Amino acid sequence: MRGKSQTKVTTSDSLTRCSYHRSPAYNLGFASAVFLMMAQIIASVGSGCFCCRKGPAPSRSKWIISLICFIVSWFTFVIAFLVLLSGAALNDEHAEEAAFPDAYFCYTVGTGVFSTGSVLSLVTIALGIVYYLCLNSSNQNVGVTRTVANQGGGIAMGQPQIPERGEDPVFVTAACPQRVLLCFLEKEIEFEIVHVDLDTLEQKKPQHLLRQPFGQVPAIEDGDFKLFESRAIARYYATKYSNQGTNLLGKSLEHRAIVDQWADVETHYFNVLAFPIVLNLVIKPRLGEECDAVLVEELKAKLGVVLDIYENRLASNRFLAGDEFTMADLTHMPAMGYLMRTDVNQMVKARVNMNRWWEELTARPAWKKLMKMAGFEA
């Protein structure tokens, strides 16, 4: 900016011109415009665009806020960029005059030019930060999970592509990670979820293979201790924190043996049928693949035999291992949750004791919290 005393008026060949020495504002204004452009590019590229970014999508409210911030930030950026460049240009050595019959005017740069550019620059950067945070906050919720409070470690999640989710899911929708998370919630263990992007095969990369050599999820890091396979992880934490939360392992040697027995039944009799049913009825349609209807019917017939055994067991027991909720029940819940979203639910509802058992399981606070985390209706 300039005052009148810094401006010289020269006349040459009947042409009157305003001239003055270049001020520091020229370099400062130009540098500010360049740095503003760099900041805007970093914020936009770092956040990713709405249409091509990968990973968990933000909630509807965050998406709207992000879109507003994106549009307004680019508007303020353009205005601030032009103001700063204009201020710099008008502080160069010469400026054209505005001549009238009896007067002339020299253009000078006032204080408001750079003040306006500075304020708009700050607004642009602030909106860019909000835009980045809104689009990337959900990315930090899935993948490798670290238990925080009780000196825990981490659990590798994943981003599956199955049923409908609510507005603000954490994408903990895979059955095996759910088994571990449900254990955390029942045992009141604090944890952190770190995203593993299954869409880009991040689970097959060397860093994750150090945790899980088969390239699957979940896997945990508890300090220097690493462990994979959801059932082993759940038993590990249920044992490590046996003095807090729900007792999942049983109260006596005999009770623990019964818990282990029915937990093994889940692995060898129930899940071997439930998983391919869920795969065909839920996952394949989401991936655009064809369901093997013949196989599903065969599996349902076999599952019916297993459910009859469960029905008889639950006729004389509140839960599978007795009168208390244990790991034997917990380990069934993720796959059961998906089966109940298919027509298999009629097979469960037709069995009075199984239906009573499932309703009691899904009424537990830990399950409701897990369903909310996953974006499903509890």
Side-chain angles (χ1 to χ4, degrees):
M1 70 209 144
R2 301 180 180 280
K4 294 180 181 178
S5 61
Q6 296 175 290
T7 305
K8 286 179 155 187
V9 178
T10 58
T11 302
S12 177
D13 298 328
S14 300
L15 178 63
T16 303
R17 294 176 61 84
C18 302
S19 64
Y20 38 73
H21 294 292
R22 178 180 295 175
S23 77
Y26 174 81
N27 294 324
L28 291 174
F30 183 76
S32 298
V34 171
F35 282 117
L36 176 61
M37 175 180 287
M38 291 173 60
Q40 182 71 357
I41 292 174
I42 290 172
S44 298
V45 174
S47 302
C49 64
F50 291 95
C51 59
C52 60
R53 66 192 310 272
K54 293 191 178 211
S59 65
R60 186 177 304 170
S61 59
K62 287 184 179 179
W63 190 90
I64 293 174
I65 293 173
S66 300
L67 181 60
I68 293 173
C69 289
F70 178 80
I71 295 173
V72 176
S73 69
W74 274 100
F75 176 78
T76 55
F77 161 72
V78 171
I79 301 300
F81 185 77
L82 293 177
V83 167
L84 291 171
L85 281 186
S86 299
L90 290 175
N91 272 279
D92 205 348
E93 289 190 74
H94 299 285
E96 296 291 336
E97 69 149 10
F100 291 89
D102 298 320
Y104 61 85
F105 297 93
C106 293
Y107 293 110
T108 61
V109 182
T111 57
V113 173
F114 286 111
S115 297
T116 301
S118 299
V119 171
L120 290 174
S121 297
L122 291 174
V123 171
T124 300
I125 293 173
L127 291 171
I129 292 174
V130 174
Y131 170 66
Y132 175 84
L133 292 176
C134 286
L135 281 186
N136 288 276
S137 60
S138 58
N139 272 346
Q140 302 170 2
N141 292 324
V142 184
V144 181
T145 304
R146 306 181 189 281
T147 46
V148 178
N150 307 302
Q151 300 179 352
I155 166 179
M157 296 287 126
Q159 179 189 339
Q161 307 166 47
I162 34 191
E164 295 300 322
R165 297 183 281 263
E167 273 197 3
D168 194 17
V170 182
F171 290 95
V172 288
T173 53
C176 290
Q178 279 188 2
R179 186 175 289 112
V180 179
L181 288 174
L182 192 55
C183 174
F184 284 164
L185 295 170
E186 287 284 353
K187 298 299 294 181
E188 300 174 0
I189 302 171
E190 294 186 18
F191 55 89
E192 173 192 3
I193 304 175
V194 183
H195 178 63
V196 173
D197 192 344
L198 303 186
D199 290 343
T200 60
L201 298 180
E202 187 177 348
Q203 75 276 18
K204 304 296 184 183
K205 294 181 180 179
Q207 183 179 0
H208 183 70
L209 292 176
L210 293 175
R211 292 186 292 261
Q212 220 289 12
F214 296 98
Q216 302 294 330
V217 291
I220 63 105
E221 294 178 356
D222 190 351
D224 294 329
F225 178 66
K226 297 180 181 180
L227 187 67
F228 59 89
E229 291 301 315
S230 62
R231 295 169 183 84
I233 295 169
R235 287 194 299 270
Y236 165 75
Y237 279 106
T239 304
K240 181 174 182 178
Y241 299 106
S242 59
N243 294 326
Q244 71 181 57
T246 306
N247 183 347
L248 297 173
L249 300 178
K251 294 183 177 181
S252 67
L253 177 62
E254 293 77 12
H255 190 202
R256 290 179 182 179
I258 297 298
V259 172
D260 289 343
Q261 170 185 273
W262 284 98
D264 286 348
V265 167
E266 183 272 332
T267 303
H268 299 295
Y269 296 92
F270 175 79
N271 192 66
V272 293
L273 301 174
F275 175 76
I277 291 175
V278 172
L279 178 65
N280 276 278
L281 295 183
V282 179
I283 300 177
K284 282 188 174 181
R286 295 281 301 211
L287 299 177
E289 299 178 12
E290 186 176 352
C291 167
D292 189 337
V294 175
L295 175 62
V296 169
E297 291 305 314
E298 293 176 356
L299 292 171
K300 283 182 180 180
K302 294 178 181 180
L303 181 63
V305 176
V306 174
L307 296 187
D308 286 339
I309 296 173
Y310 280 53
E311 176 72 5
N312 291 334
R313 173 66 181 177
L314 293 167
S316 56
N317 292 272
R318 181 181 175 190
F319 297 102
L320 288 174
D323 292 331
E324 297 177 356
F325 176 85
T326 65
M327 188 67 70
D329 306 288
L330 181 148
T331 195
H332 283 80
M333 294 176 70
M336 276 289 296
Y338 282 112
L339 286 177
M340 296 301 287
R341 296 173 185 275
T342 70
D343 60 0
V344 176
N345 62 14
Q346 299 303 317
M347 298 175 64
V348 174
K349 292 178 179 179
R351 292 166 171 82
V352 177
N353 297 311
M354 270 211 76
N355 190 56
R356 183 268 308 161
W357 170 71
W358 180 243
E359 288 182 351
E360 189 163 357
L361 295 185
T362 55
R364 297 184 67 82
W367 177 258
K368 290 184 177 181
K369 188 172 183 178
L370 177 63
M371 291 297 97
K372 183 177 180 180
M373 290 173 60
F376 297 126
E377 294 182 3

